[in-house]
Amino acid sequence: VHDARTGAELVQIALHDAYAFYVEWSPDDALLTTVSDDRTVRIVAPVDGSPVDVLDVHDASTRKVAWSPDGAWRATTAWGGRAFLSPLAARAAVRRLARGAGHSYEDQGRLSASRDGARLVVGRRDGSVLFDLEAEERSPEGELPAGGFLSPAGSLVAAVTGRETIELRLAEGGARVRVLDVPSVSQLNCDWTPSGDALVCASQSGVFVVPLAGGPDARPRKLYERFGQTRCTAVDPAGGRVAVQWTDEMISITDLWAGETREIVVAFPGWGRSIAWSPDGSWIAASGEDRAVRLVDVERGTVEHVLEGHAHQVDSVAWHPGGTRIATASRDRTVKLWDVENGTQVGSLAHERRV
């Protein structure tokens, strides 16, 4: 771990005994969390590398981690769809949340939380489960469709239920609110706006928005027509733009309400792996299959830095809440920290298996 201002090395630490799959900052930016093929979740203080917590309750490879907005709780999912919820201070899970039948990388269980941290949805392959964290209750099996993700207010669950359909369900009770027809969608390419007033999807035929304030008759509106393969979609923190990573070395940025689109050539080969807006919405970090991460200046529409140093593809990118650093997780068994201003590597955390 290095000091981002001076570049001085602070400490070197070894975390996992296997590949690491995912990296996430805590809401207050004081901690860095990683999950790994060694079945553990580890939390360190990135300033000095000191271990803070080790969660060792999963019986399979851990794949995703999410923090509650206040930073007091964390939820983790593992291969097979099992999820646990635990407080930061505890070194064991308070309770097991779910056990699923998913076995592919993409179906481990998408974690989504309400804005107030009171509700959590685990979008398992065999059916999503809603957890009320305050009442310590969960929804019945089969009430919600597979692969669901919770709206910011915690009132709706959206799920891709067919190649061209998305269902909106009430989070409580699971009643169907409406079925949306969106050509060629996948759950990796949908996202809520931060306010929850719209659902945004990218498909093989373009970018669509569903303004929920329009009532039950509101239908998906095509903002941008484009035919091609997509993998990663992200709405900016202000909720006015959506960035989509396409497989022909291009990122599109679409205004959700005016429908205007800019195209930025980023020159990455193959499928996109991860895309993320900076907290202030001025930068986009995107990774592909060429082991590099590209930092895009949104206003200029140019790639300002190409972060090179990983020996394998980068599957996850996370911004520091202050916007000055990003963390990248790779199948080369490392998590690297980068300075955004000059594009230099300022730290590396080693794992024994892919991250």
Side-chain angles (χ1 to χ4, degrees), residues 48-189:
D48 59 10
S50 59
V52 175
D53 200 356
V54 178
L55 180 62
D56 188 10
V57 295
H58 287 288
D59 58 4
S61 172
T62 53
R63 294 305 180 96
K64 296 290 178 66
V65 60
W67 288 83
S68 64
D70 61 4
W73 294 81
R74 60 188 182 273
T76 58
T77 60
W79 188 274
R82 177 171 292 181
F84 282 95
L85 179 71
S86 58
L88 176 60
R91 295 187 178 274
V94 168
R95 58 186 182 274
R96 180 181 299 170
L97 293 182
R99 173 68 177 178
H103 294 290
S104 74
Y105 176 78
E106 306 297 353
D107 292 330
Q108 296 315 305
R110 177 172 180 171
L111 287 172
S112 54
S114 60
R115 189 168 42 237
D116 61 5
R119 288 181 167 184
L120 176 76
V121 163
V122 180
R124 306 180 321 188
R125 182 182 180 182
D126 60 341
S128 302
V129 181
L130 170 73
F131 297 92
D132 186 317
L133 304 183
E134 295 179 344
E136 299 190 4
E137 298 176 347
R138 55 170 288 169
S139 61
E141 294 287 343
E143 186 172 271
L144 296 172
F149 49 105
L150 190 63
S151 67
S155 58
L156 293 173
V157 173
V160 177
T161 54
R163 183 168 176 78
E164 298 189 349
T165 58
I166 298 174
E167 283 191 12
L168 294 182
R169 301 279 194 102
L170 291 179
E172 189 170 347
R176 184 181 290 111
V177 176
R178 77 179 77 159
V179 178
L180 308 171
D181 295 322
V182 182
S184 303
V185 296
S186 74
Q187 84 176 61
L188 291 177
N189 291 338

Side-chain angles (χ1 to χ4, degrees), residues 261-299:
T261 297
R262 299 169 58 201
E263 297 183 348
I264 302 174
V265 177
V266 291
F268 56 83
W271 289 99
R273 304 303 303 178
S274 181
I275 188 169
W277 291 85
S278 64
D280 64 1
S282 62
W283 292 85
I284 289 174
S287 68
E289 295 183 339
D290 63 348
R291 310 173 184 178
V293 176
R294 287 159 177 79
L295 295 184
V296 178
D297 185 309
V298 175
E299 183 177 354

Side-chain angles (χ1 to χ4, degrees), residues 181-182 198-201 206-211 218-224 255-260:
D181 295 322
V182 182
L199 184 65
V200 183
C201 298
V207 178
F208 299 78
V209 62
V210 183
R219 311 307 300 171
R221 178 166 55 93
K222 182 179 283 190
L223 300 176
Y224 169 54
D255 187 297
L256 295 181
W257 311 118
E260 300 172 350

